[in-house]
Amino acid sequence: MKKLFATLLLALTPKLTLFSQDPIFTQAYSAGMYLNPALTGEQKGYKANINYRNQWPLISGNYITNIYGVQKRIDSIGLGVGINILQDEQGQGTLNTTGIGLVISKWVKFSDKINLAWGVNTSFYQKTVDMSKLTFGDMIDSKLGFTSNASADPNFNSTVSYINFTSGVLIQYKEGNTGFTYSNINTPNQSFYTGSSSRLPARLTLHNTTIYTISKILDWKIAHTIVLNKQQDFYSLSTYATSQFKWFKLCTGFSTMNAIIAGGGLCFPRFSINYTYETTISTLTNATGGAHEIGMSFRFGNKKEYGDKGSLSF
């Protein structure tokens, strides 16, 4: 049976105002360019990343988000450049969003221990609605039940496109980094209706990761990460600790989105992979299936440019 989701009903009704929200990844640093464009080129050489998130997989209204990125740090001029692609699917493909962005960062050495960076992401987005997966009142016949087509609305467009701008700053130091991101600076109009307005609210993000060396001999480190997001009236806070022993990592923490976070990963100079699972602890219960997230990164180029093990934080 076809299902009409409440969020889509609001999105397609011109007299109602819908304020949508950006996808948020628990493995924030695994999707660094999405977290903060100033993180572009944080590590030397070439780097590619793939991130996957499946939220509420046991219900039909789940959210699946993928991010693909590739970046390069150009030390000679202190620049980081990258391409970031986002694909978001809601309600089993009913509402789809695709975005591709050019990301540029500028790095400045402030002292022997501190680097400063500023970055900007200019993205082109396209959002589409699959009307074949929706049902409306005028599709119901008193004798035959649901018919195949709803009445056409000349003001409705099944596809909407827009440009989006995001900027961020970062302070990098020996023990970690702290950054601030201002997303959706231009609050683009996402309305599917001609002459109507549905603005994507600006999102503010504050993030920090601090690394503690427990034993150099055992190659054992611990990192604490915190990511705070504010968008319209929506707040989210994720905080977690990561322990890395040689090439193996474990992660545990919690999110104010009513979830306990747990995961693990492997980290090598050329390749890393992380997996986290979020267990829902609210009255919604974990019958939704929680949320699965996978993050992978690949580093390539001259070996001297990727000699470190990469980011400790998830």
Side-chain angles (χ1 to χ4, degrees):
M1 178 179 178
K2 296 180 181 179
K3 298 184 178 180
L4 176 63
F5 301 100
T7 55
L8 293 175
L9 175 62
L10 291 173
L12 303 177
T13 304
K15 293 183 179 180
L16 295 179
T17 302
L18 173 69
F19 297 106
S20 58
Q21 296 168 356
D22 295 325
I24 294 176
F25 277 77
T26 295
Q27 295 184 30
Y29 278 88
S30 291
M33 287 191 292
Y34 182 71
L35 171 65
N36 187 340
L39 282 165
T40 306
E42 178 198 18
Q43 296 172 308
K44 293 182 179 180
Y46 292 91
K47 180 180 178 181
N49 64 279
I50 300 175
N51 298 85
Y52 166 84
R53 179 177 174 85
N54 189 347
Q55 185 171 332
W56 302 344
L58 297 183
I59 63 176
S60 57
N62 65 323
Y63 299 80
I64 297 177
T65 308
N66 296 287
I67 288 181
Y68 310 93
V70 61
Q71 58 184 287
K72 162 68 174 173
R73 177 159 170 180
I74 308 173
D75 272 331
S76 59
I77 54 177
L79 283 183
V81 293
I83 299 292
N84 199 55
I85 299 173
L86 180 142
Q87 294 178 326
D88 185 60
E89 175 186 308
Q90 301 179 29
Q92 298 179 335
T94 307
L95 182 62
N96 298 280
T97 303
T98 300
I100 179 169
L102 173 64
V103 194
I104 299 177
S105 66
K106 174 61 178 177
W107 288 80
V108 177
K109 187 175 182 180
F110 186 74
S111 70
D112 291 338
K113 296 183 178 180
I114 298 176
N115 292 317
L116 304 179
W118 172 79
V120 62
N121 182 357
T122 303
S123 300
F124 172 80
Y125 277 87
Q126 188 171 82
K127 191 182 291 284
T128 61
V129 174
D130 187 349
M131 297 299 292
S132 67
K133 295 185 177 182
L134 299 176
T135 55
F136 298 90
D138 60 358
M139 297 170 65
I140 303 174
D141 183 273
S142 59
K143 295 181 179 180
L144 302 176
F146 278 101
T147 58
S148 58
N149 297 305
S151 300
D153 187 332
N155 295 316
F156 178 77
N157 306 290
S158 60
T159 300
V160 61
S161 302
Y162 54 89
I163 301 294
N164 198 359
F165 298 100
T166 294
S167 184
V169 294
L170 183 80
I171 303 175
Q172 183 188 58
Y173 37 90
K174 183 178 179 181
E175 297 80 12
N177 60 64
T178 298
F180 173 78
T181 309
Y182 185 10
S183 304
N184 314 322
I185 295 173
N186 55 319
T187 60
N189 185 10
Q190 301 181 104
S191 177
F192 290 98
Y193 277 87
T194 302
S196 181
S197 179
S198 178
R199 294 285 177 178
L200 179 62
R203 174 168 56 91
L204 306 178
T205 303
L206 181 65
H207 62 89
N208 169 267
T209 187
T210 304
I211 301 171
Y212 307 92
T213 300
I214 306 302
S215 172
K216 291 185 178 180
I217 297 176
L218 297 176
D219 194 12
W220 180 19
K221 297 179 180 180
I222 292 178
H224 175 253
T225 301
I226 183 169
V227 181
L228 174 65
N229 285 283
K230 179 187 183 299
Q231 188 170 17
Q232 198 73 4
D233 297 326
F234 172 78
Y235 293 84
S236 72
L237 171 67
S238 295
T239 180
Y240 52 88
T242 305
S243 177
Q244 178 175 316
F245 176 70
K246 296 187 181 300
W247 46 265
F248 181 66
K249 297 195 291 186
L250 287 175
C251 169
T252 184
F254 74 94
S255 168
T256 55
M257 293 186 290
N258 299 310
I260 298 295
I261 303 166
L266 303 174
C267 191
F268 304 102
R270 277 188 180 268
F271 170 73
S272 69
I273 182 170
N274 303 320
Y275 168 78
T276 52
Y277 179 72
E278 296 173 38
T279 303
T280 305
I281 58 174
S282 68
T283 54
L284 187 61
T285 78
N286 210 48
T288 59
H292 300 269
E293 204 167 298
I294 298 172
M296 294 185 291
S297 68
F298 309 85
R299 298 176 69 188
F300 44 96
N302 192 316
K303 186 175 181 178
K304 67 180 181 181
E305 292 188 324
Y306 61 85
D308 61 282
K309 290 185 179 180
S311 178
L312 171 57
S313 298
F314 274 46

